[in-house]
Amino acid sequence: MGLEGIWQMIKAFLLVLIGVGIGFGQTFGFGKNKVQYDEFEWKKIETDHFDIFFFTEEEVLASHTAKIVESQFRDLERKFVHTVRRRIPLVIYSSHIYFEQTNIIPNLLPEGVAGFTEYLKGRVALPLSGSIPEYERVLHHELVHVFMFDRIARVLERHGILDFRPAPLWFSEGLAEYWSSRKSALGDMILRDALFSQRFPSIKQIHQINGTFQMYKQGESICRFMAQEYGEDVFEQLFVNWWRAETFEEVFAITTGETIESFDEKWIFHERKHYFPTISNRNLLTHSAKALTHEGFNVKAAWMPKHQDLLDYVYLNNQHGYTQIVRGNDSEPPEILVEGERLTSIESLHPLTSKIAVSSDGNLIAFVGKSRGRDHLYVWNTERNFFLYDLRFDEVIAMSSPSFSPNGEQLVFSGTSKDGFVDLYVVDLKTDSLRPLMKDIYHDRDPDWSPDGKYIVFGSDRFLHGSLGKYNIFLYCFENKQLKRLTEGIFVDQQPDFGPDSRSIIFSSDRDSVFNIHLARFNDKEILVSQLTSFLTGAFDPTWSPAG
């Protein structure tokens, strides 16, 4: 899935990225020269219905997959009232970087593609991208496609119909989302924003957003409303009647006794009734914030100390069709610091998943870029404009979101090992020595080093409801090497950033059903959490200004 739309930065006493209207497109670009940098020694686990292909380092992931995939198969047997008789090849990868090298299909896979189902040989392929719950969700999503394709093919075959009649994309992806996902704050944000900005197409016009994340979420919403109107068995009845007409609209009318146009009107009215009341206690960006950028797609901002009496900030920008690192301020035109994907050494700057780090004196920035099948950790001198460090580690395949120690001599980052699990690592820039802060199955992300050097704050799913895809904020203490949980609840708390006092942390959270900025203050006795913003569309990647 690729990101589209506009994000804005606002400046008050902190800098925040705002989601004004986003969409993810799960579309593939054809690649004539896909490069494979790694050679894999493939192994296979056979379950009742699957042949699971994996390589040596993935044995733990493969064993877990073997357990959950049969449970998901039984779930879909019940929902489709159907079984897939052929064995299903399932190819798993421990990281998206390995996944991008797959030769199952010739297409180049963008970073946002979470998995795919290939219909020629019926193969399913997907990577682990750190989160086990998200991996399980994507696997279930892809198996819905396997079952749907097989169900439709068998119905048509039984009635002597030779040409295949596929489901419309919104229905195929929407049902896969509905049967594999819970409603999420991110999905609600997309639909709410589309309704208020009048970019919410009807079913008849939904082809206009084909392949985007908005289409996935609208399709999910349509399927959920279908189940409410006609009962959960409406989908099974649709497949039973699939042979009786050539178009989905006709099959829908035969099955429900209602035209798709009539249903469409009821669905859109239902969505308006659901989302419009949420505006009553929300603020518009134009009333509460100042946009600092206006051209292109701008994300992952970070403040820089004053430069010639100006307060600078750096961010990722794609104005010219490729991602670059840009420095800006209120008085001067934006300056490109690193051309990013135009450099032969950097294939991607991971604009959706990895932030930029700035040293305390503002002379250095650190960022992650992909090069020749591996992530590299780069340190760029902003005064002299050259790469000071280019670090690659044998034990770490992928990296994201570095953060400098106060003295600028170390970096902490989130790293993926060959087995697919994501932990926090610290690297000494002078010696290139690398050490993990923890080594377990939990998904630890978005680290930030405290100004006093005593703590690292990060988001993690290492609690009971982490199995539901939820994240809380945790603190690592260097003095006793212990973890402390700073936030609690069934929420997605993410992207924490330390304030200058090393006791205040801002973070993005969906605690009030919309991603907004929250503040956590802690001491030895208590932790206080409060909400700072209440934007209608959502706010992400907050960072304190140098003055706090």
Side-chain angles (χ1 to χ4, degrees):
M1 298 179 292
L3 183 65
E4 65 182 14
I6 302 173
W7 294 70
Q8 296 184 43
M9 295 188 297
I10 69 167
K11 180 176 71 175
F13 66 102
L14 49 86
L15 185 71
V16 181
L17 284 177
I18 302 299
V20 178
I22 66 173
F24 298 80
Q26 189 164 340
T27 56
F28 304 149
F30 186 79
K32 297 181 179 179
N33 299 299
K34 182 183 290 188
V35 180
Q36 291 180 287
Y37 296 101
D38 299 277
E39 293 184 5
F40 304 115
E41 183 180 341
W42 290 100
K43 297 184 176 182
K44 182 172 74 170
I45 291 178
E46 294 184 0
T47 68
D48 290 344
H49 301 95
F50 295 86
D51 294 325
I52 302 172
F53 296 90
F54 64 99
F55 49 89
T56 304
E57 292 85 355
E58 297 178 322
E59 287 195 26
V60 173
L61 177 61
S63 297
H64 178 71
T65 304
K67 294 176 184 177
I68 63 169
V69 75
E70 286 296 337
S71 174
Q72 292 181 348
F73 188 94
R74 292 190 295 272
D75 173 66
L76 293 177
E77 277 186 320
R78 292 191 296 271
K79 288 176 176 174
F80 278 94
V81 193
H82 175 77
T83 192
V84 177
R85 293 186 176 87
R86 66 173 178 85
R87 297 191 62 78
I88 302 171
L90 174 58
V91 186
I92 63 175
Y93 296 86
S94 61
S95 76
H96 205 282
I97 282 182
Y98 286 158
F99 176 62
E100 292 168 27
Q101 299 177 41
T102 183
N103 61 6
I104 294 176
I105 59 174
N107 311 70
L108 292 177
L109 297 176
E111 291 181 10
V113 175
F116 65 81
T117 301
E118 177 264 342
Y119 293 114
L120 185 62
K121 296 183 179 179
R123 294 173 289 187
V124 175
L126 75 161
L128 171 64
S129 296
S131 168
I132 291 291
E134 178 63 11
Y135 172 82
E136 295 174 356
R137 187 199 71 79
V138 173
L139 177 55
H140 196 275
H141 178 111
E142 296 303 330
L143 291 184
V144 173
H145 292 321
V146 172
F147 267 81
M148 184 182 296
F149 184 88
D150 196 77
R151 182 75 165 97
I152 292 173
R154 296 291 80 79
V155 167
L156 297 178
E157 182 182 52
R158 281 198 299 270
H159 291 87
I161 299 172
L162 301 180
D163 60 314
F164 186 73
R165 300 171 183 174
L169 189 60
W170 67 263
F171 179 74
S172 175
E173 301 296 350
L175 187 61
E177 286 291 286
Y178 175 54
W179 276 350
S180 63
S181 305
R182 297 177 177 87
K183 288 196 70 176
S184 68
L186 181 61
D188 282 341
M189 183 183 75
I190 301 301
L191 297 181
R192 185 188 304 109
D193 182 58
L195 279 166
F196 281 110
S197 60
Q198 299 184 343
R199 294 182 295 103
F200 195 90
S202 64
I203 295 175
K204 185 176 182 180
Q205 299 172 321
I206 202 169
H207 63 275
Q208 297 172 356
I209 58 170
N210 261 2
T212 66
F213 186 57
Q214 181 181 335
M215 183 214 70
Y216 279 58
K217 294 294 109 177
Q218 283 198 208
E220 177 187 354
S221 171
I222 295 168
C223 289
R224 180 172 284 105
F225 187 62
M226 286 174 63
Q228 293 174 11
E229 285 289 290
Y230 310 116
E232 287 287 346
D233 66 343
V234 66
F235 305 111
E236 193 270 329
Q237 292 302 314
L238 282 170
F239 296 124
V240 167
N241 292 325
W242 208 266
W243 66 276
R244 298 180 65 184
E246 295 187 359
T247 68
F248 179 83
E249 291 76 12
E250 292 173 303
V251 173
F252 181 88
I254 291 170
T255 303
T256 66
E258 183 175 16
T259 66
I260 197 75
E261 291 80 11
S262 174
F263 171 80
D264 197 2
E265 290 181 5
K266 290 195 296 185
W267 164 64
I268 292 178
F269 184 62
H270 173 270
E271 294 298 277
R272 288 172 176 166
K273 286 196 300 181
H274 176 68
Y275 287 111
F276 279 4
T278 63
I279 195 173
S280 60
N281 61 344
R282 304 291 177 186
N283 298 320
L284 294 176
L285 293 176
T286 53
H287 296 170
S288 309
K290 175 184 177 181
L292 300 181
T293 61
H294 304 277
E295 302 292 336
F297 165 68
N298 306 286
V299 294
K300 304 297 180 183
W303 288 109
M304 300 183 74
K306 287 187 177 180
H307 170 68
Q308 296 178 352
D309 296 324
L310 297 174
L311 193 56
D312 291 355
Y313 45 89
V314 290
Y315 57 97
L316 294 169
N317 166 274
N318 77 336
Q319 180 180 351
H320 301 292
Y322 57 89
T323 307
Q324 55 197 4
I325 298 177
V326 177
R327 176 164 56 191
N329 57 54
D330 283 347
S331 303
E332 299 175 343
E335 173 193 2
I336 297 175
L337 296 180
V338 181
E339 290 191 318
E341 293 155 8
R342 289 192 65 183
L343 299 175
T344 57
S345 59
I346 300 178
E347 300 165 25
S348 172
L349 288 174
H350 305 315
L352 303 183
T353 57
S354 187
K355 68 180 182 181
I356 305 169
V358 180
S359 63
S360 58
D361 60 8
N363 293 332
L364 303 176
I365 62 172
F367 57 93
V368 173
K370 189 180 77 170
S371 178
R372 299 185 63 80
R374 282 291 179 90
D375 272 349
H376 290 231
L377 184 59
Y378 297 101
V379 178
W380 178 267
N381 187 302
T382 61
E383 296 298 310
R384 299 172 60 187
N385 292 324
F386 73 99
F387 284 109
L388 188 61
Y389 297 102
D390 175 356
L391 303 176
R392 168 177 164 163
F393 309 103
D394 291 337
E395 60 266 53
V396 178
I397 305 164
M399 295 179 272
S400 67
S401 298
S403 177
F404 278 103
S405 63
N407 62 11
E409 295 179 357
Q410 299 180 86
L411 283 165
V412 62
F413 62 88
S414 184
T416 304
S417 56
K418 291 181 180 180
D419 59 11
F421 297 109
V422 179
D423 296 289
L424 300 187
Y425 293 81
V426 171
V427 58
D428 188 302
L429 294 177
K430 292 184 176 180
T431 65
D432 293 355
S433 62
L434 183 72
R435 61 186 175 92
L437 290 184
M438 58 277 292
K439 197 71 176 171
D440 50 42
I441 65 171
Y442 299 109
H443 186 202
D444 303 321
R445 62 184 188 179
D446 306 323
D448 189 58
W449 212 311
S450 66
D452 63 10
K454 294 181 179 181
Y455 307 102
I456 288 175
V457 67
F458 62 99
S460 180
D461 60 0
R462 54 177 63 244
F463 65 108
L464 177 63
H465 295 104
S467 61
L468 301 177
K470 304 301 181 182
Y471 291 81
N472 281 174
I473 303 300
F474 290 79
L475 198 69
Y476 177 86
C477 178
F478 281 101
E479 182 178 1
N480 57 20
K481 296 182 173 55
Q482 297 295 312
L483 295 179
K484 180 178 183 178
R485 186 174 173 185
L486 291 184
T487 67
E488 297 186 5
I490 311 175
F491 311 117
V492 177
D493 299 333
Q494 60 185 7
Q495 301 156 353
D497 188 75
F498 266 110
D501 64 357
S502 297
R503 294 297 181 274
S504 302
I505 295 164
I506 51 174
F507 60 96
S508 177
S509 176
D510 63 354
R511 289 166 173 260
D512 70 338
S513 76
V514 178
F515 279 99
N516 268 293
I517 306 306
H518 293 70
L519 170 68
R521 295 185 184 274
F522 70 95
N523 55 40
D524 294 337
K525 297 181 178 180
E526 63 180 353
I527 302 168
L528 300 176
V529 177
S530 58
Q531 185 169 339
L532 298 181
T533 67
S534 186
F535 294 117
L536 176 64
T537 47
F540 302 86
D541 294 308
T543 178
W544 292 86
S545 64

